[in-house]
Amino acid sequence: MTNSLYHRDYQEWEPVVITVEPDGITIQNVGGPDRSISAADISRCDILVSRRYRNRRLGDYLKELDMTEGRSTGIPTIQNVLEDNGSPRATVITDEDRTFFRITIPCHKAAGNIIADIVHKDSSLKASKRSTQKSALESALQTAPKSALKIIEQISNNPRATMTDIANLTGYSRRWVAQTIKRLQEQNILMRIGFDKSGHWEIIG
């Protein structure tokens, strides 16, 4: 990433783009390698030595901050670290006009297993949470009074129903509806989403 900021063309407005995907990380900046670097060297994705340097002063600052070595060793360092890690080599792409520079750093093969494990655990946790919520809802509804069940039925039919609407449809007083809904919220059976006038009810579980 430091190399992309160092070597980008600041006369262009396009930002550095970093894309993280399951199979690798791609970093792209505008302003490709200088034409003094041969296409063969770019294809090998090894040491890229240029006779002309873009942003020399920025490079000096980065070197003082120990964020770059300033000896055209950025790409070799990446390749060496990937090799030591057992990962595939990085690849570099540019176009014929050298308008951009893109490096793709592949993920280690074990990363796929780690990601799969994370997704599986997340799915299991969500399924367990849904099951727990459903059990809690069923238990609460079994002990709920008949009036509460009628209110839940009306909300299920129309989640945007107001307390006045529910009172008119059930025949209960608005005060009784408000008190019952409050208890249902305290029991985590009902949840209000949004504002009183523009929001809606949600039956949890």
Side-chain angles (χ1 to χ4, degrees):
M1 188 173 70
T2 302
N3 280 351
S4 66
L5 295 172
Y6 176 10
H7 296 294
R8 67 157 292 180
D9 185 353
Y10 285 94
Q11 293 183 354
E12 300 287 342
W13 287 96
E14 294 298 322
V16 171
V17 177
I18 302 173
T19 306
V20 180
E21 297 180 332
D23 58 348
I25 299 174
T26 299
I27 304 173
Q28 176 173 308
N29 61 271
V30 293
D34 188 77
R35 291 188 179 278
S36 61
I37 302 174
S38 69
D41 286 343
I42 296 172
S43 178
R44 283 194 298 269
C45 191
D46 207 336
I47 298 178
L48 304 181
V49 180
S50 175
R51 298 189 185 90
R52 296 191 308 165
Y53 289 90
R54 189 184 290 135
N55 310 316
R56 280 185 178 272
R57 192 62 187 130
L58 176 58
D60 292 339
Y61 283 126
L62 293 172
K63 188 174 180 180
E64 290 175 8
L65 294 171
D66 290 328
M67 297 182 69
T68 183
E69 294 179 343
R71 297 196 300 269
S72 301
T73 56
I75 299 298
T77 297
I78 292 172
Q79 302 290 33
N80 290 336
V81 171
L82 290 172
E83 183 179 354
D84 292 342
N85 187 46
S87 298
R89 285 172 59 85
T91 57
V92 166
I93 298 175
T94 187
D95 59 351
E96 185 177 348
D97 295 326
R98 306 290 176 91
T99 61
F100 72 91
F101 183 92
R102 181 191 306 150
I103 182 169
T104 299
I105 303 173
C107 284
H108 192 283
K109 59 182 180 180
N113 297 330
I114 295 172
I115 293 172
D117 288 342
I118 292 173
V119 171
H120 176 71
K121 289 179 181 178
D122 184 60
S123 299
S124 298
L125 286 172
K126 288 180 179 178
S128 176
K129 184 178 180 181
R130 286 195 298 268
S131 177
T132 301
Q133 289 177 336
K134 184 177 180 181
S135 298
L137 176 62
E138 290 175 348
S139 177
L141 290 178
Q142 286 176 357
T143 59
K146 187 176 180 180
S147 58
L149 296 178
K150 284 188 175 181
I151 290 172
I152 291 173
E153 181 182 0
Q154 295 303 323
I155 289 174
S156 177
N157 293 334
N158 179 16
R160 295 190 178 277
T162 65
M163 291 187 187
T164 301
D165 293 335
I166 296 171
N168 293 334
L169 291 168
T170 59
Y172 301 125
S173 69
R174 190 184 183 284
R175 181 179 179 184
W176 178 258
V177 169
Q179 290 176 343
T180 304
I181 285 179
K182 183 179 179 181
R183 286 197 296 272
L184 292 172
Q185 288 178 291
E186 291 172 349
Q187 294 174 329
N188 291 322
I189 295 175
L190 283 182
M191 178 186 295
R192 183 66 183 178
I193 307 296
F195 299 103
D196 290 342
K197 292 184 178 180
S198 60
H200 65 276
W201 297 105
E202 185 172 297
I203 301 174
I204 302 174

